[in-house]
Amino acid sequence: MTDIDAARAAKRELVERFADDPRVSGIGISGEPANLVIKVNLVNAYDVPEDLPLKVLGFPVHVEEVGRIGAH
């Protein structure tokens, strides 16, 4: 399994856990190929899900406040 495949598996794991959490705007993969991270976009940086891990499948989890994302 390549690093990107492993990162995709880590992302899927977080999506399954947090897809219905209204505090989470989105989940993606970010970084350089040698230093991939799982990025969790939050509506409010001060309202982080209590059970959001610092790492998933060995990949660091980074959070960023982006607000609510929706269709225009």
Side-chain angles (χ1 to χ4, degrees):
M1 181 181 300
T2 66
D3 283 349
I4 191 64
D5 290 333
R8 286 179 181 137
K11 175 187 168 184
R12 276 192 303 276
E13 185 173 309
L14 286 183
V15 168
E16 288 173 10
R17 289 174 59 184
F18 296 100
D20 295 328
D21 193 318
R23 298 170 289 185
V24 177
S25 293
I27 299 172
I29 299 168
S30 186
E32 299 297 321
N35 296 305
L36 295 173
V37 301
I38 308 304
K39 183 177 168 196
V40 179
N41 296 326
L42 299 176
V43 173
N44 181 331
Y46 296 105
D47 193 12
V48 179
E50 309 78 34
D51 54 343
L52 184 67
L54 298 175
K55 281 189 169 189
V56 63
L57 300 179
F59 291 93
V61 174
H62 290 192
V63 297
E64 182 176 342
E65 180 177 334
V66 298
R68 189 155 315 277
I69 298 173
H72 294 293

